[in-house]
Amino acid sequence: MTEYAHGISYNEEEIRRWNVYYKLYIDSVFILQMTTDLYLLSLAGQIMRRTATRRRIWLGAAAGAGLSCVSLMIPVFTVGARLLLGSVPVSMCMMCLTYQIHGVRSLLRASLLMAAAGFFFGGGMIWILNRLRAVMKGGGGLFLTLAAGALSYLLLEVVLRRLMRRRADSLRTVRVYVPALGQEIRVRALVDTGNHLTDPISGAPVSVISRKIARCMASCLSQEKFHAIPYRSVGKKSGILSGYELPELLIEETGGTLKREHVIVAVCDTGISEDSAYQMILHPGLLEN
């Protein structure tokens, strides 16, 4: 016998009868999981800038849904723990099948990216689902859940496209002629609206290049055109950058090419890593007419 509050006693058989059990219809779980995986694979592919045929996307989503159903039927731990432990290997399998990503590190990175997309997708889906249920007064079931997923995906896709378009607009291709090589080098540059570096004497805008690019255009960086550029950055109150004057800089725009003469660049690795998509931080003043 077990005694609870208010002095009421119950035997173990009665307590067992009160345990709550949930029925999971495997066909509904498969459909819901596969639809979700389709959305997440599409979002992850857009973020990674990878493409895949519809057949591969459907194959990856079906494989992910099937593996998720299998993990639910494993008689260990709780349902939530099974899904949590199986999420990473399942998503890695989907990424491998869909986008032909190989290597544990690359697959793990892709899997975490897909999990991040799933976080925002799930949050949007729950928000929409609660409002749809309020309108439909709790009805709808599987159809309502699928509709909420579709709306969440469409909203996230719009936001993602705008963010990626803004990032693409902030990148420019810069061409610099190197006399010693007798050719131009092309540098990927980021237009940073927060870059306020200027030459203390002339007030001319100053762009920033990495040391790697500086070595490539060493013959352009003449000591006769040296400029000391004072700056401030996070973690360091002040400092001096080595600046040099380039005779000419060509900035490629969608509408044509901007030509700038006597452009000052400072050599600094702060904010520019070797793996960055850009190797130059372009001063926004150079884009003004």
Side-chain angles (χ1 to χ4, degrees), residues 172-175 248-261 263 282 284-289:
R172 297 291 188 278
T173 298
V174 173
R175 289 181 287 158
E248 184 180 274
L249 193 70
L250 299 177
I251 305 171
E252 294 183 1
E253 287 274 280
T254 53
T257 302
L258 295 176
K259 181 179 179 180
R260 296 291 182 259
E261 297 180 345
V263 177
L282 199 64
L286 295 175
L287 300 178
E288 298 175 358
N289 294 324

Side-chain angles (χ1 to χ4, degrees), residues 231-285:
Y231 79 101
R232 291 184 178 182
S233 64
V234 179
K236 188 173 183 179
K237 293 183 178 180
S238 61
I240 301 294
L241 294 177
S242 297
Y244 302 90
E245 186 177 309
L246 298 177
E248 184 180 274
L249 193 70
L250 299 177
I251 305 171
E252 294 183 1
E253 287 274 280
T254 53
T257 302
L258 295 176
K259 181 179 179 180
R260 296 291 182 259
E261 297 180 345
H262 309 294
V263 177
I264 300 175
V265 294
V267 182
C268 180
D269 285 330
T270 303
I272 307 177
S273 66
E274 294 294 333
D275 298 329
S276 295
Y278 57 90
Q279 289 298 310
M280 181 178 188
I281 299 177
L282 199 64
H283 195 289

Side-chain angles (χ1 to χ4, degrees), residues 5 9 24 44-45 76 87 93 113 135 138 146 154 169 195 209 223 269:
S9 300
L24 290 177
V76 292
S87 61
C93 180
L113 193 149
V135 173
L146 293 176
L154 292 175
D169 291 341
N195 179 12
I209 59 175
Q223 291 294 330
D269 285 330

